[in-house]
Structure formats: structure tokens, C-alpha cells
């Protein structure tokens, strides 16, 4: 089973490179770990995903948008708690000098090793034949706090790099923010950070937005932008990277109303994934037991990746922590004045925070499908299909003249030009029609429009549906309207 899932992941990563979705950053120099580039199809998919989020979050009366700068005053990160708290406990191997995050070392332990550790901690535990679930349960009971993890790692875990035992240093806290300097002098007074989340650019602009738009609480501010984290263990393709994009929205509410808005946004955000084609059994909620320094309550939306369940979005009830702290650290009032009740208060915040790149990977995994399909000669062959929702698909249609003569290319080119005013479409004349369909299936183009001999006589075309592979004839001059109905957009 595990091998099958690894194969599925490997085949997706290879398709992403081959067809121009995702490339390794600086590949010709051997790559830069934790950074990825979007190719011609990847950037279309990413833009479509961001647009779907932006439309869902801001085409309503009570949410405004901003685009704040990546570099911010360094005090922002003191106020937000990131300077003090945005750390991971790390150990170094004294032998080979490799550095590891403690929680990742624990996460990567095999069942066999976990069983050994439980027995080392308690001689009476896990005697005789035991099931894997029992091992996990007993292990988690004994190794859950940061102190317990550190003690296990430094005494019972060997270095994954050099294999030595007992060579780890005591744990040190490592801050995940990237530091740089403004201006020519590289001293401590010039330190700034690449933002580790986009949220703070929203908080510091709370009053600017409220005053300029005259929004009344409750209202939200949305933003899409880059974030940077010096992750020690980047892994699983786009899942954990050092440079990524976030799509965040902070919704400001009257204190006491946060629980009902928390439920509202949880529902909205789960529905967004379903509306874009994910099935309910690919998604689940995970409630945080251990809350971040700012949170009163927090849930993750998790997606079932081939390597297991992983967070794609967090919904956080952040209280007045951020605005309250920015008031303290900046000395500027950030209270909201309710002109009906004449009250002044610091609003509470519900945050929805989704990674654009991580959710793009979730949509890639959810759409990737290898299945048997009938061939023209009555046989069967394997076809790879990316079953993207039409709104996300990088190309909306392929325009295919059946043969490269008899006026078919001219009609196809003219249709392509017309559709290109509204949609990204692709004109393709090379190869047998079946092979052209397969090439489009592999990149998730929802519709193939074929110009054939009947088009010459009755001005109709065939439209082939990517998922059902059914074909229907429609009038040539109805193609634009057809795409509009299926894909959306504006004519
Ligand atoms: N403002 C709250 C915040 O940043 P988070 O849970 O740390 O919360 C939110 O991050 C989302 O950002 C995650 O659910 C994930 O989708 C994305 N994300 C976080 N770290 C990431 C990384 N290293 N690589 C890719 N995406 C990441």
C-alpha cells in the first residue's frame, strides 16, 4: 500500500515536471532545497486557484482586500510573538554536524523503533505479540511533550545521517524567520525579516482599511502574498517549502461574537474545497489540542495526500491578541468605535489561513487519476487524467482540426483566436486525434473541440468531455457560450 502511494506521488511529480507545472528551483545548479518554480501550466493553475479564493472571499460586502509589503518594521514581529515564539527545538549531531528538528525525528521513527523505545522506557510494556496501533498508542502516551521528545531523542535515537547513537546535543530553539538588512550597514539596528505569514500586514492596516472604507464590525480583510520560513526539514514536494504563498483573511468581530463567526468561517472554508471538486472523504477536520501562542481555538482542514493526512488550511480564533499587542508595541490606538452603541473596543479576530502552494498540491493530488480507457480499435489503454475543476484547469479547451487540410485548420485557428480573447485555449494539429486527446487529458483540459468534415458542411463541431469522454455536436458559433456556461469567466 505504502509503495503504491509513493508510486502515485512519484508519477505526479514526474508529470508536473514533464508537462511544465512545477520545476525545481535553480535546477541547472543542482536545485535549492525547499524552493520550487511554477512552469507555464503551473502558473496558470496557481493564478486560477488564487483567483477562485479571491473571488470567494472578497466578492461580498464585508471583506476588503490589501496587498502589504513583505518587509515590515521589525517591531511587528516582536508584537506578533514571532521573535520569541516562532521557534522549533533542534538538535545537532556532534559527529556529522547535521541538524534536525526534534518533532521530525520523532515523526520519522519506524514502528519497530517506537516499540524498542517504549520497552526501554518501561520494561513491563508491550510484552508478547502486539499490534502496530498498540505500539503507537503506548508510544504517544509516553512521548508527547517537548521535554519527553528531547529526552528520547538525545538518549535513544540514532542520527539518521551518520547512524551514530548518543551524539545529539541538547535541544536549542531555532527561529524560523529569515533575517536580512535594510540599507548598506549589516548591523542589528538594520535587521528586518522576510514575513513568515501575511496576517501581520493585515493587522497593522486594520484602521487604515476601516477608516478608508467605512466598514463596520464585523468585517474582514483578505490578502494573498509570499511568506518565508527557514524550515529545517522541507519535504513532500510543495507541502513544506521555505518560500510559499499564503491566502489569509482576518475577520474582525465584536468580542463575544467570535464563536459564532468561527463556526461560520469553518463551514465556508470547508465548502470552498468541495465546490472546487474535492470529495468529502478526501477532507477532514483536525482540532488543535496544543494551541499557538495567539489562539483561543483552532481547527485545520486536512487533505488526504498520498503520504497521509496533512494540513492545508487553518481556521484560528485569535482573540484580540494581535491588535492588542500592536497597540502596546506601537503606542497607537487600534480600537474600533461603534457609533451605534458608542463603545470603543479592540475587535476579536477569526483568521482563515491557507497555503496557495500547499493547496495547489492538494488539488494536483485530488485531480490526478490513472484509469483504463477504451481505444478506437475496441481495446483498452491506460490514460492519465488531471480531473481539475474547469475553473482551475490551466487550459479551458483544446481546438483540434481533424486533418491538416480542406480548410479545417483555418476554421480552427479562427475559433482559437476568438476564444483566446476570453480563455486560455490551445491549438494543436500534431498527431492522431486520440493522442491529442490524451495529451490534453494529462494536463486537465476539460474540453477538446474538434473541427472535422461535418464542420465544413453544417458549421458544427464535436465537443469531447475530458472526464466522461463523451462527445456531442454543437454549433460552431455556440462554442463560446458553451465554455462560458461550463467554465465561467466573462464574455
Ligand atoms: N497566519 C497563520 C499561519 O500562518 P500556519 O498554520 O502557520 O498559520 C497557514 O500556516 C497555512 O500556510 C498552512 O495551513 C499551510 O497551508 C501554509 N504553510 C505554512 N507553512 C508552510 C510551508 N513551509 N510550506 C508551504 N505551505 C505552508
Amino acid at each position: 500500500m505504502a509503495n503504491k502511494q509513493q508510486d502515485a506521488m512519484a508519477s505526479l511529480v514526474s508529470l508536473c515536471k514533464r508537462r511544465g507545472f512545477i520545476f525545481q528551483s535553480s535546477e541547472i545548479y543542482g536545485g535549492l532545497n525547499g524552493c520550487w518554480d511554477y512552469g507555464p501550466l503551473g502558473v496558470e493553475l496557481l493564478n486560477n486557484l488564487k483567483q477562485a479564493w479571491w473571488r470567494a472571499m472578497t466578492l461580498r460586502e464585508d471583506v476588503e482586500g490589501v496587498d502589504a509589503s513583505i518587509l515590515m518594521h521589525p517591531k511587528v514581529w516582536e508584537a506578533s510573538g514571532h521573535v520569541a515564539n516562532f521557534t522549533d527545538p533542534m538538535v545537532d549531531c556532534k559527529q556529522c554536524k547535521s541538524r534536525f528538528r526534534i518533532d521530525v525525528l520523532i515523526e520519522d521513527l519506524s514502528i519497530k523503533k517506537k516499540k524498542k523505545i517504549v520497552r526501554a522506557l518501561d520494561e513491563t510494556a508491550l510484552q508478547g505479540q502486539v499490534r502496530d496501533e498498540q505500539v503507537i498508542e503506548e508510544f504517544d502516551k509516553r512521548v508527547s511533550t517537548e521535554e519527553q521528545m528531547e529526552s528520547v531523542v538525545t538518549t535513544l535515537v540514532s542520527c539518521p545521517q551518520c547512524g551514530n547513537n548518543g551524539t545529539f546535543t541538547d535541544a536549542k530553539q531555532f527561529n524560523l524567520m529569515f533575517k536580512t538588512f535594510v540599507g548598506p550597514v549589516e548591523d542589528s539596528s538594520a535587521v528586518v525579516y522576510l514575513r513568515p505569514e501575511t496576517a501581520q500586514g493585515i493587522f497593522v492596516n486594520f484602521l487604515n482599511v476601516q477608516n478608508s472604507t467605512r466598514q463596520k464590525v464585523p468585517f474582514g480583510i483578505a490578502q494573498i502574498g509570499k511568506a518565508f520560513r527557514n524550515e529545517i526539514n522541507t519535504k513532500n514536494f510543495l507541502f513544506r517549502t521555505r518560500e510559499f504563498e499564503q491566502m489569509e483573511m482576518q475577520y474582525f468581530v465584536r468580542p463575544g461574537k467570535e464563536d459564532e463567526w468561527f463556526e461560520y468561517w469553518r463551514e465556508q472554508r470547508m465548502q470552498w474545497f468541495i465546490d472546487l471538486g474535492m470529495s468529502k472523504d478526501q477532507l477532514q477536520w483536525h482540532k488543535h489540542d496544543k494551541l499557538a501562542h495567539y489562539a483561543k481555538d483552532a481547527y485545520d482542514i486536512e487533505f488526504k495526500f498520498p503520504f497521509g493526512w496533512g494540513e492545508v488550511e487553518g481556521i484560528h480564533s485569535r482573540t484580540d491578541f494581535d491588535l492588542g499587542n500592536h497597540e502596546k508595541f506601537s503606542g497607537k490606538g487600534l480600537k474600533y468605535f461603534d457609533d451605534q452603541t458608542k463603545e470603543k473596543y479592540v475587535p476579536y479576530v477569526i483568521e482563515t489561513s491557507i497555503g496557495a502552494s500547499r493547496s495547489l498540491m492538494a488539488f494536483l493530488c485530488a485531480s490526478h487519476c490513472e484509469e483504463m480507457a477504451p481505444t478506437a480499435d475496441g481495446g483498452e489503454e491506460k490514460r492519465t487524467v488531471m480531473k481539475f475543476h474547469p475553473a482551475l484547469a490551466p487550459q479551458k479547451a483544446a481546438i483540434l482540426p481533424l486533418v491538416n487540410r480542406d480548410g479545417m485548420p483555418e476554421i480552427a485557428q479562427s475559433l482559437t483566436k476568438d476564444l483566446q480573447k476570453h480563455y486560455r485555449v490551445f491549438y494543436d494539429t500534431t498527431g492522431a486525434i486520440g493522442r491529442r486527446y490524451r495529451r490534453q487529458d494529462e494536463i486537465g483540459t476539460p474540453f477538446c473541440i474538434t473541427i472535422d468534415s461535418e464542420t465544413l458542411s453544417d458549421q458544427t463541431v464535436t465537443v469531447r468531455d475530458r472526464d466522461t469522454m463523451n462527445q456531442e455536436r454543437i454549433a460552431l458559433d455556440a462554442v463560446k457560450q458553451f465554455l462560458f456556461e461550463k467554465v465561467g469567466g466573462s464574455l
Side-chain angles (χ1 to χ4, degrees), residues 23-249:
F23 307 129
Q24 198 183 10
S25 162
S26 329
E27 190 184 353
I28 58 168
Y29 290 98
L32 179 66
N33 210 349
C35 299
W36 297 89
D37 296 344
Y38 292 86
L41 293 179
V43 71
E44 293 296 332
L45 179 62
L46 183 66
N47 285 343
N48 292 343
L49 181 67
K50 289 192 284 188
Q51 206 190 27
W53 183 86
W54 190 256
R55 292 173 72 86
M57 300 303 278
T58 69
L59 293 190
R60 41 187 291 154
E61 282 173 2
D62 57 348
V63 179
E64 306 286 347
V66 292
D67 187 0
S69 60
I70 288 172
L71 300 178
M72 300 178 75
H73 194 289
K75 280 219 154 169
V76 167
W77 306 109
E78 286 175 39
S80 69
H82 282 82
V83 171
N85 298 315
F86 198 51
T87 55
D88 276 333
M90 314 278 310
V91 286
D92 290 323
C93 173
K94 288 181 243 172
Q95 198 69 35
C96 69
K97 313 291 179 220
S98 302
R99 179 168 282 184
F100 301 94
R101 250 172 68 180
I102 284 189
D103 62 326
V104 174
L105 285 173
I106 294 285
E107 201 181 295
D108 289 349
L109 291 172
S110 64
I111 296 282
K112 202 169 145 203
K113 184 69 192 171
K114 283 188 174 172
K115 195 158 139 193
K116 261 191 170 169
I117 290 172
V118 172
R119 284 183 179 161
L121 294 173
D122 179 354
E123 282 172 6
T124 61
L126 297 178
Q127 294 305 312
Q129 285 283 359
V130 281
R131 284 176 294 111
D132 289 355
E133 299 84 66
Q134 278 174 282
V135 176
I136 294 167
E137 195 183 317
E138 293 299 318
F139 182 87
D140 290 349
K141 252 196 245 167
R142 289 170 180 81
V143 190
S144 59
T145 66
E146 216 167 284
E147 292 72 38
Q148 288 165 337
M149 287 194 207
E150 182 182 348
S151 155
V152 163
V153 163
T154 49
T155 55
L156 298 168
V157 175
S158 42
C159 171
Q161 191 65 32
C162 66
N164 280 301
N165 212 340
T167 54
F168 286 130
T169 59
D170 289 344
K172 282 186 231 115
Q173 295 296 331
F174 172 82
N175 197 296
L176 298 185
M177 284 195 290
F178 279 100
K179 257 187 205 166
T180 187
F181 303 92
V182 281
V185 185
E186 296 193 359
D187 67 14
S188 58
S189 66
V191 165
V192 289
Y193 301 97
L194 300 190
R195 64 182 178 198
E197 62 170 14
T198 56
Q200 298 305 323
I202 294 178
F203 289 123
V204 298
N205 279 304
F206 164 68
L207 271 194
N208 284 338
V209 173
Q210 199 266 320
N211 288 335
S212 55
T213 60
R214 297 168 58 227
Q215 281 280 3
K216 295 199 183 322
V217 165
F219 77 96
I221 306 177
Q223 173 170 219
I224 299 178
K226 290 263 180 173
F228 303 83
R229 296 183 187 178
N230 199 0
E231 303 280 5
I232 297 305
N233 294 86
T234 57
K235 60 176 186 180
N236 289 330
F237 200 27
L238 306 177
F239 187 80
R240 186 172 288 126
T241 56
R242 297 201 166 107
E243 175 177 341
F244 54 97
E245 266 184 297
Q246 286 188 316
M247 309 192 282
E248 297 199 298
M249 194 267 324

